[in-house]
Amino acid sequence: MAQAVAGFTAPDARSRLDHLGTYTRTMPVTLERMFENALDWEHLPYVHATSFSGIECLEAGSWGWRARLDFGEQTSEIELRLYPEERRWITRTLAGERAGSEIWTHALVLDPEQLRVVVDFFLPNVPAEHRARVGQGYARQYRQLYDEDEAMMVERQRALALGGTTRSEIDLGPVADLPGVVERDGSRWRVVELDGALTAFDSRCPHLLGPLDDAPIADGVIRCPWHAYAFDLRSGRCLSGASCRMRPRPVALRDGRAWIVEAGGSNGG
Ligand code: FES
Ligand SMILES: [Fe+2]
């Protein structure tokens, strides 16, 4: 919900930005996941497909990023700067729709696995009588964005905790239950039918461990929901130009059961 923060002053008195509202949220995620998410410009049109329709990165680094971001018919040039020491990032709209606005986010570490974000919205030239309504609109949009980001960060944390297997062979169970997703001894496999045979692969994307359990497959190519990288399931190659690759494994059938042979290692191996 939008809440006023008593005594919060605009970042620069000359900028004539007004403080329109605040959104706060507590999430079961680490500061590391949160910073990673703020710097990850690439997920915006995919994880937040209802808010953003496209992005073109102009520059990016550990300092943040600058990009042209599309919202349906409209485009804005946006810059995000991360100040890790202050646990703060500032998102400025440099040009286009909502130019001049600044969104300040502070992360408060409640415990190592729990974070509160406080997001303040500053906009130029909003008539006084409209500020509360516009601020509430921003708070609604940020609730939606953080619903999506929280799910992504929690999933990534879970995927990191899974680790991988050191076994050389994995029993996937009865062939009759496949294709499907099978979790075994700290590893999770998606088994699909490809060229008339079963193929298994780590169900975590080799890029940033996005969930491939339900990722769509067409003509032997799978597309990850987080950054839309496409991978060729026959070769494992990333078709989106990244150097990461999947490692599909052949599935052997014995006495009505399916086995991954040469299971050890994870994606990217
Ligand atoms: S996690 Fe980035 S494309 Fe899969
Ligand atoms: Fe996000």
Side-chain angles (χ1 to χ4, degrees), residues 7-264:
F8 204 112
T9 50
D12 179 342
R14 293 159 306 169
S15 69
R16 304 219 182 117
L17 291 177
D18 294 301
H19 181 237
L20 268 58
T22 303
Y23 173 70
T24 60
R25 183 184 187 113
T26 302
M27 296 180 287
V29 301
T30 62
L31 189 60
E32 188 185 359
R33 289 287 83 70
M34 191 66 253
F35 282 175
E36 198 176 74
N37 183 276
L39 291 175
D40 178 7
W41 57 271
E42 227 175 347
H43 78 281
L44 296 176
Y46 305 108
V47 172
H48 307 301
T50 54
S51 301
F52 310 117
S53 50
I55 192 162
E56 180 195 350
C57 183
L58 302 171
E59 53 177 329
S62 56
W63 58 272
W65 49 265
R66 191 165 62 82
R68 261 192 285 277
L69 192 57
D70 301 327
F71 315 74
E73 301 290 283
Q74 293 158 337
T75 298
S76 293
E77 187 178 325
I78 301 216
E79 173 196 86
L80 181 144
R81 276 191 187 267
L82 177 67
Y83 303 87
E85 301 285 301
E86 288 91 354
R87 299 184 317 283
R88 169 195 302 152
W89 53 103
I90 302 175
T91 312
R92 292 191 171 88
T93 302
L94 304 177
E97 181 70 11
R98 301 175 183 172
S101 64
E102 297 188 4
I103 296 171
W104 287 48
T105 305
H106 288 91
L108 313 174
V109 179
L110 303 181
D111 68 49
E113 305 273 319
Q114 208 177 37
L115 206 69
R116 176 169 301 146
V117 288
V118 180
V119 189
D120 285 288
F121 312 113
F122 298 95
L123 272 83
N125 308 321
V126 179
E129 65 272 25
H130 296 320
R131 286 180 196 152
R133 182 180 52 77
V134 175
Q136 282 158 11
Y138 268 83
R140 264 196 307 279
Q141 187 190 6
Y142 268 70
R143 186 184 315 133
Q144 161 89 23
L145 294 173
Y146 273 104
D147 282 350
E148 293 156 351
D149 279 335
E150 180 178 332
M152 181 187 190
M153 291 185 280
V154 167
E155 172 63 30
R156 179 159 156 74
Q157 194 60 51
R158 193 190 68 82
L160 282 165
L162 264 183
T165 185
T166 51
R167 288 168 183 260
S168 58
E169 272 203 347
I170 290 187
D171 179 0
L172 293 170
V175 179
D177 294 345
L178 299 171
V181 175
V182 177
E183 201 163 317
R184 292 275 184 278
D185 306 320
S187 60
R188 191 172 170 88
W189 303 90
R190 180 163 170 193
V191 185
V192 299
E193 209 172 312
L194 190 65
D195 303 328
L198 291 176
T199 297
F201 52 88
D202 190 325
S203 77
R204 299 164 301 169
C205 175
H207 176 219
L208 289 177
L209 307 181
L212 300 179
D213 288 5
D214 303 310
I217 298 174
D219 299 328
V221 173
I222 190 166
R223 192 171 287 277
C224 176
W226 282 359
H227 308 94
Y229 287 12
F231 296 90
D232 180 342
L233 285 178
R234 295 183 179 89
S235 66
R237 210 161 55 84
C238 178
L239 304 176
S240 305
S243 58
C244 56
R245 58 188 305 145
M246 295 185 68
R247 199 178 145 204
R249 271 58 160 209
V251 172
L253 308 181
R254 272 184 244 139
D255 305 324
R257 299 184 77 80
W259 298 79
I260 301 178
V261 284
E262 300 169 33

